[in-house]
Amino acid sequence: MQLTNDIRYIGVNDHEIDMFEGQYDVPNGMAYNSYVILDEKIAVLDTVDARFGKEWLDNLKKALNGKSPDYLIVQHMEPDHSSNITTFKNEYPNAKVVASDKAFAMMKQFFDVDYIDNRLVVKEGDTLSLGKHNLTFFSAPMVHWPEVIVTYDSYDKVLFSADAFGKFGALDIEDEEGWACEARRYYFGIVGKYGMQASNLLKKISNLEINTICPLHGPVLSENLSYYIDLYKIWTSYGVESEGIVIAYTSVYGNTKKAVMLLKEELEKAGCPKVAVTDLARDDMHEAVEDAFRYGTLVLATTTYNNDIFPFMREFLYELLERGYKNRKIAIIENGTWAPNARKRILAILEEAKGLEILENGVTIRSAMTEENKKEIELLAKELCK
Ligand code: FEO
């Protein structure tokens, strides 16, 4: 695929994968992106997952049309991008490997190679001229690993953004939900903990004139770039993206679920713009995480279980904390037949999160909702919709 006169896409689509990084459901597969810049000197940016070495090399050869590459730029060492470095070097032994010093250390750890005699170690602000195309490297530590660099081509005004601006999903399947849905789940799942570092990267690139963003996953972005960059500004600063309320619940015999459905009904009656409900035991956990960061209010509804909270709720709360969950409004509905303790446990777990406003008015159900509980839920809905 030709992106500009000189830049080609040579990535691959993965429809075999069940879970990305061993935990993220990817019903539309995954793309591992890789690019070639054809100039007086030729540079390849990143490789692909181990299982696609032959397909990628074929794509590369087609793009090279008999020429040989001069550089392999390794922006990120996570194996979904680095696993074919040795495949590349076996094919093109004279090409120089370009990466950060941390990336070379990881290369040694992963593949027992560091190409000490044929490499270029780059750091923040270093440049590499290919002819017309002048590349500048920026470090992007923790977006999403410490060794990451991104690359700016000032000739075509292209930012090769590594994992930033990535998205779940293969590129040969049309994503009817649009870019943001799976890009948000990807961002909060994978990079979410490092909002500050991702925000620093946005600051670094803010003065560059960018026409195209080439990430390592998901589509190449070339129109209306402010849409993507503005969403990234919200996500990396833990801001509220959309008006609405998420209700995340667990229910053992359906009684907590009944309370959740009543709350949803009351919220909608009260005119709440959007109510997203997620069953933490059955729905995708990372959709729930994504929604918790997307909206400003989160209702947690769960049962007391072994004098603690139900395991899926506990997992959810730690998923949020791990990613720096903050600055949100929280309400709690607890259920407990003989010794309700869920609210207390949730409060203890959330203690380390910053800037949470936890509503005093919660609801305590003892087995099944009473008429009094129903009134409390009605009041809660009104308070949340204020
Ligand atoms: Fe797609 Fe952090 O690797």
Side-chain angles (χ1 to χ4, degrees):
M1 195 197 344
Q2 182 158 350
L3 302 180
T4 70
N5 268 346
D6 306 326
I7 301 179
R8 306 282 183 278
Y9 176 87
I10 55 161
V12 297
N13 290 308
D14 183 356
H15 293 289
E16 295 160 15
I17 191 167
D18 56 348
M19 280 184 177
F20 183 64
E21 291 190 355
Q23 59 169 325
Y24 300 100
D25 197 23
V26 279
N28 289 340
M30 204 63 200
Y32 312 110
N33 297 343
S34 169
Y35 306 91
V36 187
I37 307 174
L38 301 160
D39 201 342
E40 286 164 33
K41 301 275 183 193
I42 295 173
V44 177
L45 288 106
D46 296 295
T47 79
V48 298
D49 188 85
R51 289 168 294 125
F52 297 89
K54 187 181 174 315
E55 186 183 338
W56 172 71
L57 213 50
D58 287 347
N59 290 350
L60 173 60
K61 282 181 182 164
K62 235 179 263 169
L64 291 172
N65 199 15
K67 295 180 182 148
S68 285
D70 299 279
Y71 301 104
L72 172 66
I73 299 170
V74 176
Q75 301 187 109
H76 184 16
M77 273 302 296
E78 196 167 6
D80 51 336
H81 310 293
S82 67
S83 290
N84 280 292
I85 293 175
T86 52
T87 317
F88 174 91
K89 280 293 280 180
N90 289 341
E91 194 72 23
Y92 302 107
N94 296 327
K96 195 172 272 198
V97 180
V98 181
S100 66
D101 55 354
K102 284 195 176 74
F104 281 112
M106 289 181 184
M107 235 174 271
K108 183 82 184 151
Q109 290 168 213
F110 273 113
F111 310 116
D112 197 23
V113 292
D114 56 14
Y115 304 115
I116 203 131
D117 298 324
N118 196 15
R119 73 184 196 182
L120 180 63
V121 181
V122 291
K123 55 182 181 344
E124 178 77 14
D126 283 356
T127 58
L128 176 66
S129 176
L130 304 177
K132 293 179 303 200
H133 295 260
N134 199 31
L135 306 182
T136 306
F137 303 104
F138 297 94
S139 64
M142 303 322 294
V143 189
H144 125 246
W145 279 14
E147 84 295 1
V148 171
I149 53 170
V150 301
T151 307
Y152 178 65
D153 169 18
S154 56
Y155 182 78
D156 276 335
K157 303 190 180 358
V158 174
L159 178 72
F160 297 94
S161 62
D163 271 349
F165 299 98
K167 178 182 168 297
F168 292 126
L171 300 184
D172 53 358
I173 289 185
E174 195 182 338
D175 188 344
E176 285 160 6
E177 291 173 315
W179 181 84
C181 188
E182 285 293 71
R184 189 190 301 106
R185 190 166 69 94
Y186 172 88
Y187 171 80
F188 283 110
I190 285 163
V191 193
K193 179 179 172 61
Y194 302 107
M196 198 173 73
Q197 290 86 342
S199 171
N200 286 341
L201 175 62
L202 292 184
K203 283 179 203 141
K204 273 187 199 184
I205 62 166
S206 64
N207 293 326
L208 303 175
E209 194 184 336
I210 300 170
N211 290 343
T212 309
I213 295 176
C214 291
L216 286 177
H217 300 288
V220 169
L221 308 173
S222 56
E223 274 166 37
N224 195 13
L225 292 186
S226 59
Y227 167 75
Y228 308 102
I229 293 170
D230 288 349
L231 278 176
Y232 251 66
K233 281 183 188 161
I234 297 170
W235 298 346
T236 58
S237 63
Y238 303 91
V240 173
E241 178 190 339
S242 309
E243 284 289 311
I245 295 174
V246 190
I247 311 174
Y249 76 94
T250 65
S251 189
V252 185
Y253 290 104
N255 287 306
T256 311
K257 182 176 180 178
K258 276 185 194 155
V260 164
M261 291 310 162
L262 178 62
L263 177 64
K264 179 179 191 291
E265 204 182 301
E266 292 295 337
L267 286 168
E268 284 166 352
K269 242 195 263 170
C272 180
K274 165 82 188 175
V275 185
V277 175
T278 176
D279 176 343
L280 295 173
R282 292 174 180 82
D283 298 333
D284 181 67
M285 180 64 78
H286 298 104
E287 285 275 358
V289 168
E290 169 200 348
D291 277 348
F293 282 97
R294 176 177 184 175
Y295 298 104
T297 300
L298 173 64
V299 180
L300 302 165
T302 194
T303 40
T304 303
Y305 188 82
N306 288 338
N307 203 30
D308 199 328
I309 47 177
F310 206 63
F312 295 100
M313 177 60 79
R314 195 169 50 227
E315 183 191 335
F316 177 59
L317 295 179
Y318 284 115
E319 294 265 1
L320 295 183
L321 290 180
E322 196 187 326
R323 292 166 174 81
Y325 189 70
K326 63 175 86 164
N327 305 338
R328 298 291 190 278
K329 189 188 277 186
I330 308 278
I332 300 168
I333 297 175
E334 64 172 347
N335 196 346
T337 296
W338 62 93
N341 194 35
R343 181 181 171 94
K344 206 166 125 199
R345 286 295 302 135
I346 289 173
L347 293 179
I349 292 170
L350 289 181
E351 219 163 53
E352 68 181 79
K354 291 188 188 126
L356 297 186
E357 181 199 338
I358 299 179
L359 296 194
E360 286 294 325
N361 284 336
V363 178
T364 298
I365 299 163
R366 285 179 163 268
S367 310
M369 270 191 297
T370 59
E371 287 308 310
E372 185 59 28
N373 287 147
K374 290 178 187 171
K375 277 186 208 136
E376 288 166 354
I377 287 172
E378 205 180 306
L379 283 176
L380 180 62
K382 286 192 178 128
E383 189 176 354
L384 289 171
C385 272
K386 259 198 293 207

